Amino acid sequence: MKLSIIIPFNRYIHYLYDCLESIKNQNLTDYEVLLVVDAIEDVKDKIHKYDLPITLIESGEATVGKKRNMGLNLAKGDYVYFLDSDDYVLPNCLNALMKEAKKSNNQVVAGKRMVSWFKKKVYETMSDETNIERNLKDKDHDRLEKVERKQEEHVYDSEPEQFKIDLLIRTRHALRNVSCLNLLIKRSLIEENHISFKEEFFWYTDAPFVVELLKYTNDVSFVEDALLVKRKHNDPINRPALSQIKDPDGRFDEFIEAHNYCLEISKDYPSIHYYINAKMANYFTSFFAKKVRRSEDDKWRTTRFDTMAKVLTRIEPELLKKSLYRRRLSKACMNHDLKKAQKIIAAHLAGVKAKKIFKNKNEMNKYLYRHKYKNEPIQKNLIMFETFRGASYADSPKYIYEYLAKNFPGQYEFVWVLNDTKTKLPYGGTVVKRMTRKYAYYLAVCKYFVFNTRQPLWYRKREGQVFLETWHGTPLKRLAFDQEEVTAASPTYKAQFYRQKQEWDYLIAPNAFSSEIFKSCFMYKDEGDTMLDTGYPRNDLLSDPHKEEIAKELKKKVGIPLDKKVILYAPTWRDDEYYGNGAYKFQLKLNLEQMRKELGDEYVIILRTHYYIADVLDLTGLDGFAFNLSKYDDITEIYLMSDILITDYSSVFFDFANLKRPMLFYTYDLDKYRDVLRGFYINMEEELPGPLVFTTDEVIDTIKHMDEITEKYADRYVEFYDKFCGWEDGHSSQRVVETVFEKN
């Protein structure tokens, strides 16, 4: 047999599915998969569909190291390959490694390890190579590129030992990153030298194994095109990866033990020994020192400080002299002089902070917030409002603000966060720009906060402050902790969300459906009246008895002709059109020129894209027919102007339904959006109060026959309205204010 693939598994079955699917797609022959599981019953009925030569091995509760050893003991292949159950290999990875092994007869063949928080199916649907590259790079990528360049320049031809160390150790930025993953290893190398995993290690089982490999072979080669994707877990609260499991005491102790063990087994190999110590020296100044300064756990300044002093005595002196800071700090630590070490660390971190402040003025604002403004008294009648990160004066915060100002004159002072500071507010609110010094000040001293998105990560709610989260829509797409994958944010999204929602005192629900969903997707514990089942204040306007007159005045304001019906097209953004931190792109899929030709005599169209979408729409040649109101503050006012809504997966249709006006759903990528990107909370085909259409021709035809469509969907519309609009009667703002402000 040529190849044995060893996979340890103990939880998160949906990750394993991707792993096994990726093996199936390799088109291998003459191989086996050794799947080592806690209990065979957990998986035996769930893996048959992959039709792989799988041998199930029951380990009971065991470490990854023990499971890999059990797989090694039963492996029959000439080569072994370790694969974690939450990772997957890209097409041709294993074949490329095997081909190189056959050609070179090397004992170890390494591929490239990339990092992603995307599941396999999402990755495969992404067409933008730049996007893929950005999201798959990890911290070791640049180091590996240097090794590749040296290899191309034949620098390693006379230094095979340096090549293997650079490839397997130096390209890994920390000891925990030294990994046996994506290494094809000759089984005879392992057996003849009695190499195995240290089973008692929980976090650091890989590094000693790799050091042992390096000791016994110089026959290492590298295949650039053999790609393994290391999956990041985007839900460290409910589904943490091994590296995300927190146990500061056990982890630190094991780290030191693993480091010392690696030194011991490499004591006769100076080069390996040196680079293992180099990682510890970097750890000491980049991580450990910060813990000594900032951690609330005194162990970093007592027992761990003493432990580190002993470790440093075994490190080559030249590694401790890489910088003046490292030299002074290591000397103080080895002398067990904590006070001096703390002064050195404080001075160094102050310098780092000063550089950050110089490069980014917001760092100073955050510093003042933490160290000055939070010491000032809370102003008990001061309220801060923010919508969409300062993008607009709109949404539920606007209607809560106006209700308070009208009904409680003189009782409150108001601060509005608006990036356009020239915005003129009714009722005399103060405007501050987001992420400025004034913004930081008001975050510290306001009594109340009314936000429709999450607060800044660096904000910490003070005792006595009250945070009202209005959110900004009834959820159709799965949100936060209900999403299996987060493809349009950083892998820390769920961890960040979990911490931020802890500071919400109240959360508004627009309907009973949303109330239950919010408890799940936000992991929001509804204690008493903290979930406000009031309806959305932003929809109060849709029940105004004078809404028709208001709509006419709004049309005049934006230049929409009064003698034509208005179509509103409000598409959402797609997760796979995310291309960077906070950056998105969008391509209009509706043929507006065709619509103008066939509908322009009777209709005009308003375009309203999601606030995430940065690109400006090009409406050249469509003057008088198409109006881009994407930057118009208040979408509720746009609803009033509109006779028909075209949308897709945006939550706008839940609000628009309050008007009981026709809707159609332009879902040209329904299968992809539902099955790959996000998933839905409702069955769109069966519950939506209008037809699903897939082409511009169908959109036009539906609008031309709108009377028939309205009659066809009348009963479904009634059911939809009762389920999602039943709480909204024009008095939601009043109910929120009575609960939050009058109570407090």
Side-chain angles (χ1 to χ4, degrees):
M1 182 177 291
K2 294 178 181 178
L3 176 64
S4 297
I5 302 171
I6 299 172
I7 307 173
F9 171 79
N10 72 337
R11 52 186 171 176
Y12 314 144
I13 191 72
H14 68 286
Y15 284 103
L16 178 64
Y17 293 154
D18 267 8
C19 178
L20 297 178
E21 183 70 28
S22 74
I23 295 173
K24 184 178 179 180
N25 293 343
Q26 296 293 304
N27 295 317
L28 294 168
T29 57
D30 197 15
Y31 73 103
E32 64 178 350
V33 177
L34 302 168
L35 183 59
V36 190
V37 300
D38 290 359
I40 290 177
E41 291 295 324
D42 294 342
V43 299
K44 72 174 185 178
D45 295 329
K46 301 175 182 178
I47 61 175
H48 296 307
K49 60 182 178 180
Y50 296 102
D51 191 27
L52 295 171
I54 296 177
T55 299
L56 288 174
I57 304 168
E58 186 164 281
S59 64
E61 288 191 21
T63 63
V64 169
K66 183 173 181 179
K67 287 180 176 179
R68 287 175 178 164
N69 284 340
M70 292 178 73
L72 277 174
N73 290 337
L74 295 174
K76 301 172 184 175
D78 298 326
Y79 288 87
V80 295
Y81 183 86
F82 300 104
L83 182 60
D84 285 349
S85 61
D86 50 0
D87 300 336
Y88 54 87
V89 286
L90 297 187
N92 202 43
C93 174
L94 297 179
N95 280 312
L97 294 174
M98 291 293 290
K99 183 178 179 181
E100 170 61 23
K102 182 178 180 181
K103 182 179 104 175
S104 65
N105 200 32
N106 283 346
Q107 294 175 307
V108 178
V109 181
K112 185 181 291 186
R113 188 186 74 165
M114 310 296 272
V115 174
S116 175
W117 55 92
F118 298 140
K119 62 183 178 181
K120 180 175 175 289
K121 198 170 185 180
V122 171
Y123 169 84
E124 290 171 344
T125 65
M126 298 176 71
S127 58
D128 185 341
E129 292 182 4
T130 303
N131 190 8
I132 294 170
E133 184 73 6
R134 178 178 289 113
N135 286 301
L136 290 180
K137 279 188 177 182
D138 71 353
K139 293 179 180 178
D140 301 331
H141 192 274
D142 292 339
R143 295 180 178 90
L144 184 57
E145 285 187 340
K146 290 179 182 179
V147 171
E148 290 179 58
R149 285 197 298 271
K150 286 184 177 182
Q151 189 179 27
E152 290 171 1
E153 295 166 3
H154 302 284
V155 173
Y156 295 117
D157 288 358
S158 59
E159 300 178 353
E161 183 177 2
Q162 189 63 48
F163 170 68
K164 69 177 184 179
I165 292 173
D166 284 357
L167 182 64
L168 300 183
I169 293 184
R170 292 189 71 191
T171 57
R172 308 304 187 187
H173 82 285
L175 192 68
R176 69 177 182 274
N177 290 73
V178 176
S179 173
C180 67
L181 296 177
N182 216 15
L183 300 182
L184 186 71
I185 309 165
K186 213 162 200 178
R187 186 162 61 92
S188 59
L189 171 67
I190 295 172
E191 292 182 346
E192 290 169 7
N193 295 287
H194 308 289
I195 302 172
S196 64
F197 291 92
K198 199 164 173 63
E199 296 183 357
E200 57 267 39
F201 284 171
F202 185 74
W203 289 281
Y204 292 92
T205 188
D206 280 36
F209 184 87
V210 173
V211 170
E212 292 271 28
L213 289 179
L214 290 172
K215 280 171 54 176
Y216 296 114
T217 183
N218 281 328
D219 299 332
V220 178
S221 53
F222 173 66
V223 182
E224 181 181 0
D225 297 330
L227 300 178
L228 171 137
V229 177
K230 183 68 183 169
R231 289 281 296 280
K232 287 184 177 180
H233 291 209
N234 57 52
D235 186 356
I237 309 302
N238 300 304
R239 294 172 177 170
L242 184 64
S243 61
Q244 293 170 320
I245 296 174
K246 295 182 178 179
D247 178 6
D249 288 339
R251 188 160 188 157
F252 176 81
D253 292 343
E254 185 178 304
F255 168 61
I256 298 300
E257 186 179 353
H259 169 78
N260 290 337
Y261 183 69
C262 286
L263 292 184
E264 181 62 28
I265 59 180
S266 64
K267 62 184 178 182
D268 297 326
Y269 299 83
S271 295
I272 301 174
H273 193 280
Y274 179 87
Y275 290 113
I276 293 295
N277 268 335
K279 295 192 183 302
M280 178 57 76
N282 290 332
Y283 166 86
F284 173 62
T285 49
S286 63
F287 181 84
F288 185 86
K290 292 177 183 177
K291 288 293 187 181
V292 171
R293 171 68 176 169
R294 297 171 178 166
S295 178
E296 295 180 1
D297 187 349
D298 277 338
K299 289 181 181 178
W300 293 100
R301 292 172 287 277
T302 54
T303 55
R304 291 175 192 164
F305 188 77
D306 291 337
T307 297
M308 186 55 65
K310 296 175 185 176
V311 171
L312 293 176
T313 61
R314 299 184 64 186
I315 294 179
E316 289 82 349
E318 61 266 30
L319 287 172
L320 300 179
K321 295 177 181 178
K322 288 281 187 180
S323 67
L324 177 62
Y325 170 58
R326 184 181 290 183
R327 182 165 68 248
R328 294 180 63 221
L329 181 58
S330 59
K331 183 177 179 181
C333 184
M334 286 188 287
N335 289 335
H336 297 273
D337 191 339
L338 177 62
K339 288 185 177 180
K340 186 172 182 179
Q342 287 176 310
K343 287 181 180 180
I344 295 169
I345 296 168
H348 175 75
L349 293 179
V352 172
K353 174 62 72 175
K355 289 179 181 178
K356 284 185 177 180
I357 290 171
F358 181 76
K359 291 181 179 179
N360 183 354
K361 60 184 180 181
N362 190 43
E363 290 296 325
M364 174 57 81
N365 301 333
K366 290 191 283 187
Y367 179 85
L368 291 171
Y369 169 78
R370 294 185 183 112
H371 300 284
K372 181 181 179 183
Y373 300 150
K374 285 183 71 175
N375 296 324
E376 298 191 16
I378 294 172
Q379 299 179 32
K380 63 180 182 179
N381 293 323
L382 192 58
I383 310 172
M384 175 184 270
F385 299 85
E386 181 177 313
T387 60
F388 303 119
R389 301 177 182 174
S392 59
Y393 171 66
D395 213 72
S396 291
K398 168 186 173 179
Y399 291 91
I400 294 170
Y401 163 68
E402 293 189 355
Y403 183 88
L404 283 166
K406 290 176 185 175
N407 293 279
F408 300 89
Q411 292 191 33
Y412 296 98
E413 294 180 47
F414 307 108
V415 175
W416 260 97
V417 180
L418 290 167
N419 296 327
D420 181 2
T421 56
K422 295 179 181 179
T423 303
K424 292 183 179 180
L425 295 175
Y427 310 108
T430 299
V431 175
V432 299
K433 190 173 183 178
R434 195 170 186 267
M435 298 302 181
T436 60
R437 196 160 299 182
K438 283 187 177 180
Y439 180 74
Y441 169 75
Y442 285 118
L443 280 176
V445 302
C446 283
K447 166 78 173 179
Y448 299 97
F449 299 91
V450 184
F451 282 36
N452 81 335
T453 54
R454 292 178 289 153
Q455 65 276 29
L457 275 170
W458 47 273
Y459 167 79
R460 294 293 185 274
K461 186 163 70 88
R462 298 171 64 184
E463 185 176 353
Q465 291 183 321
V466 178
F467 199 99
L468 167 60
E469 175 60 53
T470 70
W471 202 240
H472 50 269
T474 293
L476 167 67
K477 299 159 288 192
R478 293 193 175 274
L479 291 172
F481 287 93
D482 285 350
Q483 285 180 258
E484 179 184 328
E485 300 294 320
V486 179
T487 56
S490 81
T492 60
Y493 166 78
K494 288 186 181 179
Q496 292 172 357
F497 210 124
Y498 184 78
R499 193 200 65 72
Q500 288 168 305
K501 68 93 183 178
Q502 305 284 76
E503 295 175 326
W504 299 351
D505 296 291
Y506 300 96
L507 174 61
I508 294 178
N511 43 59
F513 169 83
S514 297
S515 184
E516 291 306 309
I517 295 296
F518 287 167
K519 292 170 190 175
S520 168
C521 71
F522 297 149
M523 294 180 64
Y524 189 83
K525 294 181 180 178
D526 180 19
E527 298 175 357
D529 58 359
T530 63
M531 180 74 77
L532 303 184
D533 295 335
T534 58
Y536 272 150
R538 71 183 186 188
N539 289 332
D540 286 350
L541 182 64
L542 303 180
S543 298
D544 193 292
H546 306 292
K547 61 189 177 195
E548 300 301 332
E549 293 83 351
I550 295 171
K552 186 178 294 185
E553 293 305 313
L554 290 171
K555 288 180 182 179
K556 291 178 182 178
K557 175 180 157 185
V558 297
I560 292 176
L562 299 180
D563 61 342
K564 292 189 177 181
K565 295 178 182 178
V566 178
I567 301 166
L568 169 60
Y569 180 41
T572 193
W573 57 283
R574 269 80 173 152
D575 290 10
D576 61 341
E577 293 178 332
Y578 163 85
Y579 61 92
N581 188 18
Y584 303 83
K585 59 187 175 182
F586 173 71
Q587 291 181 336
L588 196 67
K589 298 295 193 299
L590 196 60
N591 188 328
L592 296 182
E593 178 58 32
Q594 183 182 349
M595 292 186 69
R596 184 190 66 79
K597 289 178 180 178
E598 300 199 39
L599 301 173
D601 291 341
E602 186 177 356
Y603 292 93
V604 295
I605 188 167
I606 292 174
L607 300 170
R608 175 74 175 200
T609 57
H610 194 283
Y611 77 100
Y612 274 175
I613 298 167
D615 300 332
V616 177
L617 296 171
D618 182 8
L619 301 182
T620 305
L622 296 167
D623 294 345
F625 174 71
F627 297 81
N628 183 9
L629 297 190
S630 296
K631 294 184 179 180
Y632 189 93
D633 271 355
D634 193 346
I635 194 172
T636 307
E637 294 181 350
I638 297 177
Y639 296 152
L640 281 188
M641 294 185 256
S642 305
D643 299 289
I644 297 172
L645 171 67
I646 305 174
T647 187
D648 42 30
Y649 322 111
S650 172
S651 64
V652 296
F653 63 82
F654 292 104
D655 298 328
F656 191 81
N658 280 278
L659 295 169
K660 299 182 180 179
R661 296 173 185 173
M663 294 186 275
L664 59 145
F665 300 87
Y666 184 38
T667 52
Y668 54 86
D669 56 353
L670 176 62
D671 290 344
K672 177 181 176 183
Y673 204 98
R674 175 190 57 208
D675 301 332
V676 178
L677 294 179
R678 290 289 284 271
F680 301 135
Y681 287 113
I682 67 174
N683 187 319
M684 293 188 67
E685 290 93 338
E686 296 180 5
E687 295 186 63
L688 292 184
L692 274 61
V693 292
F694 304 96
T695 66
T696 299
D697 288 336
E698 289 182 87
V699 170
I700 292 169
D701 184 67
T702 301
I703 292 172
K704 287 180 177 179
H705 298 87
M706 188 52 70
D707 290 343
E708 300 167 32
I709 295 296
T710 299
E711 184 178 350
K712 178 179 179 181
Y713 284 89
D715 291 341
R716 190 187 288 187
Y717 210 134
V718 171
E719 293 178 10
F720 186 89
Y721 181 91
D722 291 343
K723 181 175 181 179
F724 296 108
C725 305
W727 290 358
E728 295 180 330
D729 55 3
H731 299 285
S732 297
S733 298
Q734 177 184 348
R735 288 191 286 271
V736 170
V737 168
E738 287 174 351
T739 303
V740 177
F741 296 92
E742 293 187 35
K743 179 177 179 179
N744 284 283

